[in-house]
Amino acid sequence: MTDSKPPIIFLMGPTASGKTDLAIALAQQRPVDVISVDSALIYRGMDIGTAKPTAQELSLAPHGLIDICDPAETYSVADFCRDAQAEIDKSHQAGRTPVLVGGTMMYFNALLKGLADMPATDLATRAAIEEEALVKGWSLLHEELAAVDPESAAQIHPNHSQRIARALAVYRMSGKPMSVYRAEQLQQSPVDTHFSDRYDVTQFALIPQERALLHQRIARRYEMMLEDGFEDEVTQLYQRGDLSLDLPSMRAVGYRQMWEYINKVYSYDEMIEKGLAATRQLAKRQLTWLRGWEGLHRLEVDIDSTTLAVKGEKNIARVLNSL
């Protein structure tokens, strides 16, 4: 890596691809600081269903931006960019290399490309959109978004309710598509303020050799979560009384389905089926992001996690040493 700009490593990939194991292996070999890029790991008390690194794993490789919010709080992309920048600065000041690890691709994208200055949206508008979705379904609202903001709609999965609602709310309140705000911001921002111009960013992604392998890993991890007490974890959150499915935290993959089971909406088998389906959909969205990602070094996932971590660390070392 060049000496002209401070180095940063991105380690991305779909859920259950082995990112945590690889990050820990990398931390054992290099002077790095691991920073989580995960919209669910930020919440305290949400450990099992998020596959949060264990205390033992964190002792080997402490992770920044884990357990920084209560599940009742909301946390925006802008909040992440601010907090990630602080962690990156702290790591560089210590003479170390920050390694940003996770699967929340929107966070990575925001760091690289910046955030548009979006207008605020009020609760009434968002609530009205949620009510429409109950009648029409999110797929129809996605079609509505595509009619007024095709660029944003193309980047949002028809089942991603939170992002659809946000984009529609921006358009309804301002009369301007979200994609236009983003384009205007890119035109107005000086080139030297862009993330990739300030840092020497090397990007890696764990990519499954076969989709079926990733699905097997997802199913195995989901089974382990259930065995480790995932139901008890969500029951405690449910019994708090101040949480609901309207909050981003409880919309996290797996948590919504377990919540509905506890609320007697789903049977146990339905909860498992829907939880696995939602996790596979998440992985598909993450891989879609990565398919067109520029400047990416691919690390194939085709073996067990332990061997993967060792092999992946060697591959990363080879790439870094060649730069």
Side-chain angles (χ1 to χ4, degrees), residues 21-22 25 304-316:
D21 290 336
L22 181 50
D304 68 273
S305 296
T306 303
T307 311
L308 169 67
V310 174
K311 182 179 178 182
E313 190 280 323
K314 290 181 178 178
N315 286 337
I316 288 178

Side-chain angles (χ1 to χ4, degrees), residues 9 23 34 77 95 117 138 176 180 203 224 304 315-316:
I9 297 172
V34 180
V77 181
D117 186 15
W138 286 108
K176 184 186 294 188
V180 173
Q203 304 176 81
M224 291 175 60
D304 68 273
N315 286 337
I316 288 178

Side-chain angles (χ1 to χ4, degrees), residues 114-128:
L115 283 170
D117 186 15
M118 299 291 175
T121 57
D122 59 34
L123 292 177
T125 302
R126 297 292 289 267

Side-chain angles (χ1 to χ4, degrees), residues 72-102:
E73 299 173 330
T74 57
Y75 188 79
S76 68
V77 181
D79 291 331
F80 167 77
C81 289
R82 178 201 63 222
D83 293 342
Q85 187 63 65
E87 292 287 331
I88 289 168
D89 291 343
K90 183 169 64 175
S91 180
H92 283 149
Q93 289 167 6
R96 297 166 65 82
T97 298
V99 179
L100 280 71
V101 181

Side-chain angles (χ1 to χ4, degrees), residues 169-185:
V170 167
Y171 178 77
R172 291 184 181 183
M173 294 195 65
S174 69
K176 184 186 294 188
M178 183 180 286
S179 57
V180 173
Y181 282 102
R182 290 199 178 103
E184 290 175 349
Q185 188 226 21

Side-chain angles (χ1 to χ4, degrees), residues 127-199:
I129 293 172
E130 295 278 352
E131 289 294 326
E132 286 183 45
L134 292 175
V135 177
K136 300 178 180 178
W138 286 108
S139 60
L140 285 180
L141 288 184
H142 185 269
E143 292 178 8
E144 180 182 329
L145 176 63
V148 298
D149 189 358
E151 185 176 334
S152 293
Q155 298 176 2
I156 301 175
H157 190 278
N159 293 334
H160 205 309
S161 59
Q162 192 172 356
R163 294 186 63 196
I164 295 171
R166 169 64 173 155
L168 276 176
V170 167
Y171 178 77
R172 291 184 181 183
M173 294 195 65
S174 69
K176 184 186 294 188
M178 183 180 286
S179 57
V180 173
Y181 282 102
R182 290 199 178 103
E184 290 175 349
Q185 188 226 21
L186 288 175
Q187 291 175 355
Q188 295 169 5
S189 297
V191 173
D192 61 3
T193 65
H194 290 179
F195 191 86
S196 57
D197 290 321
R198 288 184 283 128
Y199 301 111

